[in-house]
Amino acid sequence: AQSVTQLGSHVSVSEGALVLLRCNYSSSVPPYLFWYVQYPNQGLQLLLKYTTGATLVKGINGFEAEFKKSETSFHLTKPSAHMSDAAEYFCAVSDKFSGNEKLTFGTGTRLTIIP
Amino acid sequence: DAGVIQSPRHEVTEMGQEVTLRCKPISGHDYLFWYRQTMMRGLELLIYFNNNVPIDDSGMPEDRFSAKMPNASFSTLKIQPSEPRDSAVYFCASSFKGGGYTFGSGTRLTVV
């Protein structure tokens, strides 16, 4: 069974500072990996995904994530935080070989930006 | 593309009443998912369909919940009878294999 662990349910960073949100996965085979963002009173929106190929994945709004197989990690980063980045972020994993499309989500990290 | 469309956006109902939530997935997506989100439990997968066929309904809380997908462009989640503990935001999402989900805006259900 696969799972994801998001370290830190709440993260606060100053505007302009580096954003780092951590995600570690547990899977017997290299999975598909995703980051989603949820703004208040909205659905989840796909930020970026890793399926195969280049391990550094660029997404929307200046975010990127790097798949590190040796560390079983897929941390999300942004060089300079903006007030509009305040939201909840979810990491998710699916098994590319299972034949189904079911995603397992982490418990989420709420990002607060300090002016 | 209009995205995944859910209706209604908000629903307030009295305990014991039947509630029906609706979802129109993105055309061409062959997977459809129903999730429930609460502060206490986070995101819970209730059921998902592939090519209109229910694949996994193990997350459906109890027999009061049922879901259907009569065709590729429409799905419903029904709660009968509703209870206050069903109050949550219900999301529908659709996808194609490996593509990642596209979520709807959700239905906020309040059962009083």
Side-chain angles (χ1 to χ4, degrees):
Chain A
Q2 54 200 357
S3 63
V4 287
T5 302
Q6 292 185 240
L7 294 175
S9 58
H10 291 85
V11 171
S12 295
V13 301
S14 297
E15 191 175 15
L18 171 71
V19 175
L20 171 61
L21 304 182
R22 299 177 188 274
C23 173
N24 288 87
Y25 69 89
S26 172
S27 178
S28 57
V29 296
Y32 291 146
L33 293 158
F34 305 83
W35 274 99
Y36 287 83
V37 60
Q38 185 178 29
Y39 299 102
N41 300 313
Q42 295 187 27
L44 280 72
Q45 179 183 1
L46 181 64
L47 268 180
L48 50 81
K49 64 180 180 181
Y50 169 77
T51 51
T52 57
T55 57
L56 181 62
V57 180
K58 294 186 184 300
I60 61 172
N61 301 339
F63 284 93
E64 62 183 34
E66 186 171 10
F67 169 62
K68 292 187 176 181
K69 183 179 176 181
S70 60
E71 299 177 7
T72 60
S73 68
F74 192 58
H75 301 331
L76 182 71
T77 60
K78 181 174 181 178
S80 177
H82 191 274
M83 295 300 294
S84 61
D85 296 327
E88 187 144 21
Y89 293 80
F90 293 88
C91 182
V93 61
S94 72
D95 180 356
K96 68 174 76 171
F97 297 113
S98 69
N100 68 56
E101 186 68 358
K102 184 176 173 180
L103 285 184
T104 300
F105 284 89
T107 52
T109 297
R110 184 169 298 278
L111 177 64
T112 300
I113 310 298
I114 303 167
Chain B
D1 194 332
V4 176
I5 300 172
Q6 291 188 246
S7 64
R9 286 298 309 274
H10 302 273
E11 176 81 37
V12 180
T13 190
E14 292 185 346
M15 182 174 61
Q17 296 298 305
E18 177 179 295
V19 175
T20 299
L21 311 181
R22 297 172 174 81
C23 176
K24 177 179 169 56
I26 291 175
S27 177
H29 283 188
D30 50 4
Y31 287 86
L32 185 139
F33 305 82
W34 283 101
Y35 278 85
R36 178 171 69 177
Q37 187 178 38
T38 61
M39 289 292 292
M40 292 297 293
R41 294 199 183 93
L43 270 171
E44 300 175 276
L45 176 64
L46 300 178
I47 185 172
Y48 79 95
F49 298 82
N50 180 215
N51 293 322
N52 313 338
V53 176
I55 302 300
D56 183 352
D57 66 353
S58 60
M60 296 286 260
E62 43 198 280
D63 292 346
R64 299 184 296 106
F65 286 69
S66 62
K68 294 181 179 180
M69 192 166 186
N71 57 62
S73 60
F74 185 66
S75 177
T76 60
L77 177 68
K78 186 176 293 187
I79 308 172
Q80 165 63 18
S82 57
E83 297 182 3
R85 59 191 167 124
D86 302 329
S87 298
V89 181
Y90 291 81
F91 288 105
C92 176
S94 69
S95 77
F96 57 90
K97 188 162 181 58
Y101 295 1
T102 300
F103 280 80
S105 298
T107 296
R108 183 175 296 276
L109 174 65
T110 303
V111 183
V112 298

